[in-house]
Amino acid sequence: MSTFMSALLNTLMGMGTVFCVLIIISLIISLFKYIPSLERKIKNFSVRRKNKAAAEKESEDAPKKVPKRPILEKEEELVDDGELVAVIMAAIVVSSGGAVSADRLVVRSIKRVRNRR
């Protein structure tokens, strides 16, 4: 009978181990419903942390961002906008042969056109 008893004990031990592992797996699966809320909390925490770090970095870098010497840009000779509009409207009235009066013209925007030649 000792052989029978050892076989029975081995069977019960194996079935008990499998049963315990299945219970653990079941508990882990039941915790899956909490994963999306944890992900949102972690994401919000990391976003807040990045924003806080960026704000701190901006506050630290603010005095340092002033250049030591000004950067010179190519200066263009600009004409007063009022004069430019008057010249354009006069050119339109002359080119239309007087068919369009200057009172009804409205210049909404002025864009530079590249030379097409």
Side-chain angles (χ1 to χ4, degrees):
M1 271 274 215
S2 68
T3 308
F4 179 73
M5 289 301 280
S6 66
L8 186 63
L9 274 173
N10 285 339
T11 304
L12 289 176
M13 188 71 111
M15 288 177 70
T17 303
V18 169
F19 187 70
C20 289
V21 170
L22 287 175
I23 290 174
I24 292 171
I25 291 173
S26 173
L27 291 174
I28 291 172
I29 290 173
S30 70
L31 295 176
F32 279 2
K33 63 184 173 184
Y34 300 110
I35 290 176
S37 63
L38 289 175
E39 286 179 349
R40 277 192 298 269
K41 286 180 183 178
I42 291 171
K43 184 178 179 182
N44 289 339
F45 177 74
S46 65
V47 167
R48 278 186 266 156
R49 195 168 162 197
K50 285 180 184 178
N51 290 342
K52 186 177 179 182
E56 289 176 0
K57 187 174 182 181
E58 284 181 10
S59 65
E60 291 173 2
D61 292 343
K64 296 178 184 177
K65 287 188 177 182
V66 177
K68 293 181 181 177
R69 58 182 181 159
I71 299 172
L72 299 176
E73 295 181 11
K74 183 180 176 183
E75 293 184 21
E76 295 181 19
E77 187 177 323
L78 299 176
V79 180
D80 186 25
D81 288 342
E83 293 176 7
L84 183 61
V85 169
V87 169
I88 291 173
M89 289 179 69
I92 292 171
V93 170
V94 170
S95 68
S96 67
V100 178
S101 69
D103 296 337
R104 295 190 326 198
L105 287 177
V106 178
V107 177
R108 297 187 191 275
S109 67
I110 300 171
K111 295 181 182 177
R112 184 177 296 238
V113 179
R114 291 186 179 183
N115 216 353
R116 295 183 185 175
R117 297 180 190 172

